[in-house]
Amino acid sequence: MKKIFLFLLLGLGLSGRVYANGFQQNMDVSIGIFDAATIVLDYTATPAEYQISAEVKTANFFDTLYPFVGRYSSKGNILKNKGESQGVLPETYQTYTKSRNHVRTKTIRYDDKGYAYQRISTKDDKKNVVPIKDVPQTADAADLQTIFAELIGNFNQTRSCELVREVYDGKKHYRVIAQDEGTENRYFNLLKRTENSYKCSFYIENLKDNNDNILWDVSAETPIYFWIGIDQVSKLPYVLEIRIDSTPLGALKVIPTSLKIK
C-alpha cells in the first residue's frame, strides 16, 4: 500500500505556476469508494532554481488500516538548453516516512554534474551509508521528483508532456514515459466548471525485479492520467486532476481542492 501513496507524488510537481515565487496546493486522494489520503504540496521556483516538498497522510479508513505519513523534498538548478526545452541539475533528494511500526529516512546526494553518488538511509535507529555505483549508462535520473521538475519546465515552454527518463537510485531501476494525449473539454471539481484541458499519460516501466512492486505492476499496464489547465492571467500550468482507472482496490483519483499562490 505504501507504494500507492508514493506514486501520488510523481506527478504533483506538474502543479503550479512555474516561474511565480511558488504555491501551496491541497489535494484529496480516493481509491475505489474510500477517501484514502490528503496531500499538501509546496512548490517554489525561479528561472534558475527549483524546490518541491510534499506531505501525504492517510485518512479515515486507510489511516486506521495503514497509518502513514510521508514527506518528500528535492531541490536543484534549472538549466537552459538550446531551443525551447530545459534540463535540471539536482542537488539533493530527501524523504521521511512514518508508518505504524517504523520511521525511515533517505537522502540521495548528487555531484556537481547532477549524478547521484551516495544514498544515506535510516530505519528507526539504524543508519546505512551506501555509495551509488554501477549506474547504467542509459540511466539519466535518480529520483522521480527531479524528472518532474524537468517536465514542469518543458511543459511550460512547449505545452507538451513528451519525456522519457530512466531512473536508477542504486536499488530500483525503471523508466518513466510521459506522452501527450491531446486535449479534453470536461468538468473539473477544482474549477467548478467545464474547462478545455491538456491530457497527458505516464507509464512506469520496471527494468528489474523491484521489491514491493504494486506501483510498477499497475503503472506499467495502466496509464496514469493527468489533466492540466492553463491559468488565463499568467499562462502557466496547473493540475486539474490525476487518475488511474484501475488498481487492485479500484480507481485512484487525486482531486485538487485549493491552489494558493505565494
Side-chain angles (χ1 to χ4, degrees):
M1 185 60 59
K2 177 179 69 174
K3 293 302 179 186
I4 284 289
F5 294 114
L6 293 184
F7 143 75
L8 301 176
L9 300 174
L10 303 186
L12 297 184
L14 277 171
S15 304
R17 304 153 193 238
V18 179
Y19 295 125
N21 287 333
F23 73 96
Q24 187 177 83
Q25 188 161 22
N26 296 310
M27 300 183 180
D28 290 338
V29 182
S30 65
I31 302 177
I33 63 173
F34 301 104
D35 296 328
T38 60
I39 294 172
V40 179
L41 176 70
D42 198 272
Y43 188 94
T44 302
T46 70
E49 299 176 328
Y50 70 90
Q51 183 167 344
I52 306 172
S53 64
E55 180 175 274
V56 56
K57 294 182 179 179
T58 49
N60 302 318
F61 172 76
F62 272 67
D63 192 51
T64 301
L65 180 68
Y66 186 82
F68 176 83
V69 176
R71 300 186 184 99
Y72 309 81
S73 64
S74 62
K75 65 178 181 178
N77 298 316
I78 296 174
L79 304 177
K80 296 296 184 181
N81 297 332
K82 293 181 179 179
E84 295 183 321
S85 64
Q86 65 178 35
V88 295
L89 188 69
E91 293 180 353
T92 59
Y93 171 67
Q94 296 178 307
T95 71
Y96 166 92
T97 62
K98 181 179 180 181
S99 63
R100 192 188 306 275
N101 298 318
H102 299 290
V103 174
R104 293 179 170 88
T105 68
K106 179 174 68 175
T107 298
I108 293 180
R109 291 179 173 172
Y110 299 86
D111 62 23
D112 57 6
K113 295 183 179 179
Y115 293 103
Y117 70 89
Q118 187 181 67
R119 184 179 66 252
I120 303 170
S121 60
T122 67
K123 180 180 179 181
D124 301 322
D125 295 327
K126 184 179 180 180
K127 182 178 180 180
N128 195 23
V129 180
V130 179
I132 298 177
K133 298 180 178 180
D134 301 321
V135 178
Q137 290 187 347
T138 51
D140 48 16
D143 73 83
L144 289 166
Q145 282 184 304
T146 293
I147 293 174
F148 282 91
E150 179 179 6
L151 186 59
I152 293 169
N154 288 346
F155 188 89
N156 188 51
Q157 296 294 322
T158 67
R159 298 298 187 251
S160 173
C161 292
E162 296 284 342
L163 188 70
V164 178
R165 288 290 178 265
E166 189 173 312
V167 180
Y168 182 76
D169 66 0
K171 295 178 66 176
K172 289 183 170 59
H173 189 194
Y174 51 92
R175 182 179 293 115
V176 178
I177 304 168
Q179 298 176 329
D180 293 325
E181 298 288 342
T183 58
E184 185 173 342
N185 195 52
R186 48 162 292 203
Y187 181 87
F188 293 99
N189 288 343
L190 175 65
L191 303 176
K192 306 300 183 187
R193 67 172 188 267
T194 298
E195 180 79 2
N196 192 42
S197 64
Y198 292 84
K199 185 178 181 181
C200 303
S201 63
F202 296 82
Y203 295 84
I204 299 175
E205 180 184 1
N206 188 17
L207 299 177
K208 65 176 291 187
D209 186 18
N210 295 311
N211 296 326
D212 190 13
N213 63 358
I214 187 172
L215 165 63
W216 324 114
D217 290 344
V218 169
S219 55
E221 301 295 334
T222 304
I224 304 165
Y225 288 115
F226 288 76
W227 286 264
I228 303 172
I230 304 298
D231 181 73
Q232 294 301 309
V233 176
S234 66
K235 305 302 180 183
L236 295 173
Y238 61 94
V239 159
L240 290 166
E241 187 176 317
I242 305 171
R243 189 175 75 205
I244 300 179
D245 289 333
S246 178
T247 78
L249 298 177
L252 185 152
K253 296 181 181 179
V254 182
I255 306 296
T257 58
S258 68
L259 180 63
K260 180 182 179 180
I261 302 300
K262 296 178 181 179

